[in-house]
Amino acid sequence: MKNIRFGSGVVLALLMSTGVAHAQEKAYFVTYDHYLEEPGNLEIGIASTTGAPRSDNSVYSAPWLEIEYGVRGWWTTEFYAEREGFRVENRFRAFKVEHRVNPVLYVEYENTTEASRIQKEIVGSGALSFEPIADLRRTRAHELEGKLILSSAAGAWNVSENIIFEKNLTEAEGIEYGYAVGVSRSLGSLASGTSCHFCRENFVVGVEAYGGLGSSMERTLTDTRHFIAPVLGWHIGERSTFKLSTGFGLTDASDRFLLRLGWSYELPVKKARP
């Protein structure tokens, strides 16, 4: 609980220190859309996942740090750091201009332990392991993950679908599958022309659903985890965004709920080539 209070205090302090304007940032935590980081921009974010298990296991909190950089207009790279290890992801957009459906290819390398709880994605089957953390940290996992991201924009609406494939390079687990889908929209279509924190166009609301789909070795949905999560994004500054989500577990293998909080700030570093 100390981690939760500390993280909330840091987020609130950072929010109050920023100016007011509009930034383009979606409210999803798990689902990816087709919007990439602007070339040459660096985005820094902090976030946390707090989970409440269904059994007598204790509530847990897992914070992490995100550093995202726009390498090109069609290529964004991102680094995640948590106590249990790190992740490096790259997203590649297929088309420069908007289409009805915009495909993006996602590739990620993970070097974490079995004690990781941030749950940036959910794949395979089975509930989280609640063995002693010290024991879980002894098992390190090197994993390769791929996603096919399909995203569409219609006015203020965004609809995104992700198909996830994950391979544990240190264990013979086959290929694990997962999914994430999201729908969101801005509450205002045009800027009001005034400077304020609470203008409608500064808010994005939506819902996302995500979960595991078994593996190539266990072709069944038995004991898989699934969540549905309302999401809220608040553009509180020209380059600053706060996000909130509460995910509700839909199966016995899922936690009762996952509370996610996030804050990000975008820095224009250097103009990269398109």
Side-chain angles (χ1 to χ4, degrees):
M1 297 301 292
K2 290 182 178 179
N3 286 338
I4 299 174
R5 290 195 296 268
F6 173 76
S8 300
V10 171
V11 170
L12 289 173
L14 290 168
L15 296 183
M16 298 305 295
S17 68
T18 58
V20 180
H22 196 326
Q24 178 170 293
E25 180 73 23
K26 296 302 178 183
Y28 309 130
F29 277 87
V30 178
T31 310
Y32 282 83
D33 56 32
H34 64 286
Y35 297 105
L36 303 186
E37 188 62 56
E38 289 290 330
N41 281 7
L42 181 71
E43 183 178 277
I44 300 174
I46 54 175
S48 68
T49 297
T50 300
R54 291 185 183 276
S55 61
D56 294 331
N57 294 299
S58 301
V59 171
Y60 59 86
S61 181
W64 74 89
L65 170 72
E66 303 178 16
I67 301 175
E68 182 177 82
Y69 179 68
V71 184
R72 297 287 189 270
W74 50 270
W75 175 16
T76 289
T77 188
E78 190 160 1
F79 176 78
Y80 294 87
E82 57 168 312
R83 180 172 180 177
E84 306 308 327
F86 67 90
R87 305 161 188 239
V88 179
E89 75 173 44
N90 289 277
R91 305 198 305 278
F92 306 95
R93 182 167 168 167
F95 306 118
K96 286 186 176 181
V97 297
E98 291 279 325
H99 287 70
R100 181 172 296 181
V101 178
N102 302 281
V104 176
L105 178 64
Y106 172 111
V107 180
E108 179 186 80
Y109 168 72
E110 300 180 15
N111 185 334
T112 60
T113 74
E114 293 296 329
S116 177
R117 292 289 185 270
I118 69 174
Q119 301 178 80
K120 279 291 293 175
E121 69 286 318
I122 293 177
V123 297
S125 59
L128 285 176
S129 174
F130 286 95
E131 297 176 20
I133 293 296
D135 293 341
L136 292 173
R137 284 179 177 150
R138 295 192 185 101
T139 304
R140 183 157 293 276
H142 299 269
E143 298 179 335
L144 189 63
E145 180 182 305
K147 293 181 183 177
L148 175 59
I149 300 167
L150 302 174
S151 175
S152 303
W157 289 90
N158 172 263
V159 180
S160 296
E161 308 89 24
N162 300 176
I163 305 171
I164 309 170
F165 308 87
E166 185 172 281
K167 180 69 174 79
N168 190 330
L169 304 177
T170 53
E171 298 287 344
E173 297 177 346
I175 299 175
E176 295 183 301
Y177 308 122
Y179 72 93
V181 295
V183 179
S184 66
R185 65 156 293 152
S186 171
L187 292 183
S189 57
L190 296 174
S192 63
T194 61
S195 178
C196 66
H197 282 293
F198 301 103
C199 297
R200 290 181 60 188
E201 65 268 18
N202 291 340
F203 291 89
V204 177
V205 296
V207 63
E208 61 179 344
Y210 46 86
L213 295 174
S215 72
S216 59
M217 299 180 68
E218 297 181 358
R219 300 175 183 272
T220 176
L221 296 180
T222 303
D223 205 31
T224 53
R225 291 180 288 152
H226 302 270
F227 293 87
I228 187 165
V231 294
L232 169 68
W234 177 23
H235 307 303
I236 52 174
E238 181 180 2
R239 300 183 178 276
S240 181
T241 300
F242 173 72
K243 299 193 297 183
L244 168 68
S245 169
T246 301
F248 299 94
L250 303 178
T251 63
D252 291 340
S254 310
D255 287 348
R256 285 192 176 89
F257 71 84
L258 297 176
L259 174 65
R260 301 182 191 261
L261 299 172
W263 172 86
S264 62
Y265 188 80
E266 188 179 67
L267 299 168
V269 178
K270 180 181 178 182
K271 210 63 179 175
R273 292 165 54 191

